Amino acid sequence: METPLSLALFLGFTATAAFGNPIALTFSGVATGTLGTTSFTDAPFTVTSGGNTSSVFVTPGPIDNLPAIGATIDITGFSPAAFTDATSWVDPEGSGDIIFNDATLNTEILGFTHLFAGLETYQFQNSIAVVGGFPFIPNIFENFQNIPTSQGLLTITMTSNNAFTAVVATPEPASLWLALTGLGAAVFFGRMRRSTRT
């Protein structure tokens, strides 16, 4: 009985250690576009998603990529809409860019550049807040076209007053104590098992 218990406790500890921290991300501003068949002009919007710091992966560039969890967009005057494609956040290292992607279409749909605000070395591992900057997507690269959402196809042609925030949750003290207790119990039961054999 001790072996399965110690194994379970040890696996529980290693799983806790392997998990990163939850991260909540937002991209907000003022936008012009169309949701379904209804147009909007200079409407405040906020894109929100979750993520996990352990999910970040790097592609050539180097570019840091974070898969988004439960991405939604809330546009004033409309019900909140969930993106139905997979989405992600992208930060090309050294560029000062932050980008929100439709990962299914492999298309950058929102993004701005703000130099010397911490985005050059940002890797989705800590909290950050960046206000302003130059919105190059979709203002120049018109990629936000007919993106599927739960409220219909969404097109955004222009944004301004952009801001990006990311808040990394810190592990609760209780979780750390539980993880350490699990490791201690695994060691204890492992020693107990060895002593009963002798």
Side-chain angles (χ1 to χ4, degrees):
M1 193 73 175
E2 292 91 351
T3 300
L5 179 59
S6 63
L7 180 60
L9 290 169
F10 180 71
L11 288 176
F13 169 75
T14 54
T16 302
F19 290 149
N21 294 322
I23 181 171
L25 308 105
T26 65
F27 188 113
S28 61
V30 175
T32 296
T34 305
L35 178 56
T37 58
T38 306
S39 297
F40 53 91
T41 302
D42 294 333
F45 76 93
T46 302
V47 171
T48 306
S49 89
N52 193 287
T53 57
S54 67
S55 300
V56 176
F57 62 95
V58 181
T59 52
I63 301 170
D64 297 304
N65 299 262
L66 173 68
I69 300 171
T72 61
I73 185 166
D74 191 354
I75 303 169
T76 298
F78 296 84
S79 297
F83 290 95
T84 54
D85 282 352
T87 55
S88 65
W89 299 90
V90 175
D91 178 36
E93 293 183 17
S95 69
D97 296 348
I98 191 68
I99 300 166
F100 181 67
N101 274 357
D102 183 317
T104 300
L105 299 175
N106 194 26
T107 299
E108 302 171 337
I109 57 177
L110 285 172
F112 70 84
T113 297
H114 194 309
L115 294 172
F116 314 116
L119 291 173
E120 294 88 348
T121 57
Y122 188 60
Q123 298 176 328
F124 302 106
Q125 298 301 308
N126 54 282
S127 299
I128 193 172
V130 181
V131 178
F134 177 71
F136 61 94
I137 307 170
N139 297 31
I140 292 179
F141 302 105
E142 300 173 350
N143 295 342
F144 206 133
Q145 301 286 326
N146 297 317
I147 302 301
T149 78
S150 60
Q151 299 294 329
L153 296 178
L154 175 60
T155 295
I156 292 179
T157 57
M158 190 73 68
T159 68
S160 60
N161 301 331
N162 291 146
F164 170 73
T165 64
V167 179
V168 177
T170 54
E172 297 177 11
S175 300
L176 294 174
W177 280 113
L178 285 172
L180 291 173
T181 301
L183 180 61
V187 171
F188 172 77
F189 283 114
R191 287 184 178 170
M192 230 174 87
R193 186 169 181 273
R194 283 195 296 272
S195 65
T196 55
R197 286 182 172 176
T198 55

